[in-house]
Structures are given as structure tokens and as C-alpha cells.
Amino acid sequence: MISGLELKARTQKLESEQAQRIEKLRQTKEKEAILAARQREREAQRQAEAQRRKQQELEALERAEKEREEWTEKNRGVFFNAVLQAVDADDELAAAKAHRYCDKIVLPSTFSSQLMDLDAYKNGALLFELRLPAPHGMRSSEVPSTSGRSSSPSSSGSGMRTTHAGVLEFSAPEGVIALPSKVRECLWGPGQSAAGTVEVRYKRLEKGTFVEFQPLSRGFHDAVGGDVKQVLEQTLMKHCTLTVGDTLSVEHAGSQYVLRVNRLEPEPAVSIIDTDVEAEVVASVETEDLIREWEAQQEALKEQQRRNAERLAELRAAREREAQEALELVKAAEAEEARKEQEAEQMRLAKLATLEKLRAHREARLPPEPPVDSDQPAVTVAFRLPEGARLSRRFPLSSGASSLFQFVDAKWAPAGGWEAELDLAQGAEGAQPYQLIAQFPRRVISRPSPGSDVTLQQLALSNNELFNVEIL
């Protein structure tokens, strides 16, 4: 028989295993849902990409159709386009066959009948636009034609090199185009041979009315001088077309000069067959580079001068600040000195006032001076000061010896001025003490200490007694 504990344990185990199976089933369903969502997302992306590509193809076809219509309209109902393998043409052989040989190409013989069927000859001389194939992933119709001023070789805004040419003859093998050196240089650069394929389009060009040339190096103007018109006419007679960015080789007096087409009117590519073209030759590229270098140097010099001026202004401002600070310090020192002098003067005046008070006080303490005709016993005492001055006064014989010193204190200004006198009067530490000395007979009278004063009668002073004030 199964016990209750064993039954409970089995029940818990079954419940745990069932919960694990349910969780595993849930996780599996979640993974399947995630995979399905990712699959739907990838499928939506593929459909969107396919739709985008289809839209791009439709747009490209529309652009190509629109471009074809525009070319056909510009060429008066003629549209001719081909991609051919490029090879080098023999310039000497071409020169023997035609006057305007420098930019004349050789096309396959089948092209003549095709162009005749298109009635291209109604537009005059057969002229063509030549360009290198569009970059990978870009249709030729997506690359704009040459317009405006550009550098040699001629190129469109995307970097595709483009030029124009006439046709020499239709004798090239099928799928091949023979290019003269001038055309090769405009497409691939100076001294380069034909390489790869070239896209050829029939194009009706307007007759040119103006061209601006620019020599690539210095010396052309000096070498040609007044013959520039004749030299340019001889060169242009060897060409059928001009394209902005093209380079032409001009021969004069045994030397070769390379000129670049900078500007054309009325369009960036023109025909120069049976038309009068006004030509202008501007300063050479090398000269312009030198001018730009000189201008850059001048700008750098101006910038350096500006920086130097700013630095000088900063130094001047710093010096002015230092001078102002020094001036303020001097003013502050002068103000402090003036304050100290004012305080000293105030102190001096205060001391003088104090001295006057002390003098008045000492004189007030002196016993009254007896008149000459007074019956009061008195003596006249003279004092010779250290500076040689003499003082005299009558004193009652009953007055004390201290009165002699009080009189001298009140009248004498000792050496050192009134300040020494004030110190002496106030009994300041370091004040000059003195004593009174009689010569005949010699007697010395010192300042009596408080409580020890004696009368003049006790000192047995005689009338007209003379004392020398002797500083101790």
C-alpha cells in the first residue's frame, strides 16, 4: 500500500514535469513566432528592394527616354548613339586627307548609311560628342553633359571626360573608333593612347562666336607677340570643334605651346567650321599660379602684419596698464606721504600748542617779579644759556630755588628745537637735564627734588648773580 507521503511526493513530481513541458512548449512557440516575424520582415525588405529597383529602372528609362527626346529635338530629329572600342589613329595620314584633321575621328563604314538614313547630313557637317563610359552602376544618361568652365581634359560634373569631334571617314572596322592624338589627350590626358571603349553620339553644334584661351605655361605671349591672331587662325583651321576644357597644341617658330579652352560662346561646345570666332588669350596658368602664390604671400604678410599690430597693441595696452598701475601706486604713495605729513603737522601743531600751554603754565607758577622800586627783598638773576643767549629776572629772596629752573624752563628752547623743549618741559625720557653754575665763587645748583626746595635767601644769592645753564 502507498503511504500518504509517497503519494504526495509522486504528485509533486508529476506536477513539476508537467510545468516543465508547458514552459518548453511556450518557449518553442515564442521562437517559432520570432522566426516567422523575421521571415516576414526579410520578405518585406526583399519586396521593398525589388520595388525600389523596379522604380529606379523605370525612372532611368524615363530619364533615358526624356534625354533621347531632348537630343533628338536638339539634333532636329536625329538620334545616334554607339559604344565603340577606341584605337589610335594615324595623325600624318589624317593630315594628308583633310585640312581640319586634328579632331576628326574614323568610324565604322556602316555608320555612314545609318546616319544617311537618319538624314543627319541636313544639319551640315557630321559632328559627334565623345565621352568615356559612365562609372560602374551609373547610366550614361545620368551623367550631365559638359557645361561651364572646367579643367583639361574636358569633364562633366561627375568627372566623365567629354570632348567633340568631326568625322574623317567611315573606314574603321565594326565596333572600332580611331581617335587622333588631340582627341585622345582630351579624353585620357597628355601623351596617352586610346584605352577601352568610348561612347559616341551624334550632336549638332552651334557655331562659335567667342573663345577664351589660356596657355598652360609662361612664354606664349612673349614668343608670339603681335602674331597671335595669325597663329590662332592657323591652329583653329586644323579643328572642327571646340569644347570647354579641351587643350590645343599651337606651333610657332619651332616651339609647341599648349592652350586650354576656358570659355566659349554661345555654348560650352561649338562648331568652328565656316564661322568667324573672336579669340582672346588670357594670362597663362603658370602666371596665374604665380599671381595666386604672390597674392597668398601678400595675404600671409598682411595677416602677419595684422597679428604683429595686434601684438603691438596688446603690448602697448599692457604697458599703459602698467604705467597706470605705477601712476596709481605713486599717487597712493604720495597720498600716504601727504597723509603722514598732515598727521605729523597736526601732531607738531598739537605739540606746539601743548608747549605753549606748558610755558604759560610754568610762567603762571613763577612768583610775581618784584618791581625795581619795591621794598620786598629781591635779587636780579641772569642766566647764560648754552647757545649764548642771556635771560634775566628779578626774584623775591623768599622764592625757592625751583623758581630759577621754572623760569629757565619757561624761556629756554634747548638744542633740538621746540620738540626737545617740549620733552624737557614734560620731563620725557631722554630730555636734556641741566644745572645752574655760578662762576665766582663757583657754585652748582641742581634742580630741587619735590620737598627739598630751599629759598634764594638760603642760597645767599647776591644781586645781579649770573648763572650758566650747563647741560648734564
Side-chain angles (χ1 to χ4, degrees), residues 216-288:
L216 298 186
S217 59
R218 291 184 297 174
F220 176 78
H221 293 85
D222 295 335
V224 176
D227 298 333
V228 61
K229 181 178 180 180
Q230 179 182 355
V231 171
L232 291 178
E233 286 179 350
Q234 293 174 355
T235 301
L236 293 179
M237 286 299 295
K238 300 176 183 179
H239 294 77
C240 300
T241 66
L242 290 177
T243 306
V244 169
D246 277 359
T247 55
L248 282 69
S249 180
V250 177
E251 182 178 357
H252 179 72
S255 298
Q256 295 287 335
Y257 301 94
V258 179
L259 273 61
R260 182 175 64 190
V261 179
N262 274 356
R263 187 161 59 91
L264 287 169
E265 292 179 3
E267 294 181 350
V270 298
S271 168
I272 56 174
I273 300 173
D274 299 330
T275 185
D276 293 330
V277 180
E278 179 185 355
E280 179 182 347
V281 182
V282 298
S284 68
V285 175
E286 187 176 357
T287 300
E288 285 189 348

Side-chain angles (χ1 to χ4, degrees), residues 284-354:
S284 68
V285 175
E286 187 176 357
T287 300
E288 285 189 348
D289 291 341
L290 291 174
I291 293 174
R292 281 192 293 269
E293 181 180 356
W294 178 83
E295 290 176 346
Q297 292 175 352
Q298 294 299 311
E299 288 296 325
L301 179 61
K302 289 180 181 179
E303 178 65 17
Q304 186 62 40
Q305 291 174 346
R306 184 187 64 79
R307 292 179 180 177
N308 292 341
E310 289 180 353
R311 179 58 180 164
L312 182 59
E314 291 175 358
L315 291 175
R316 287 177 177 173
R319 289 176 181 174
E320 290 177 358
R321 287 194 300 270
E322 292 175 357
Q324 183 64 28
E325 291 174 358
L327 180 59
E328 291 176 356
L329 290 176
V330 170
K331 289 182 178 179
E334 290 177 350
E336 180 65 17
E337 185 66 23
R339 185 188 64 79
K340 290 181 179 180
E341 290 179 356
Q342 184 178 6
E343 290 180 354
E345 180 64 16
Q346 292 175 351
M347 186 177 295
R348 186 183 69 84
L349 294 176
K351 287 183 176 181
L352 283 176
T354 302

Side-chain angles (χ1 to χ4, degrees), residues 2 107 272:
I2 301 175
L107 294 173
I272 56 174

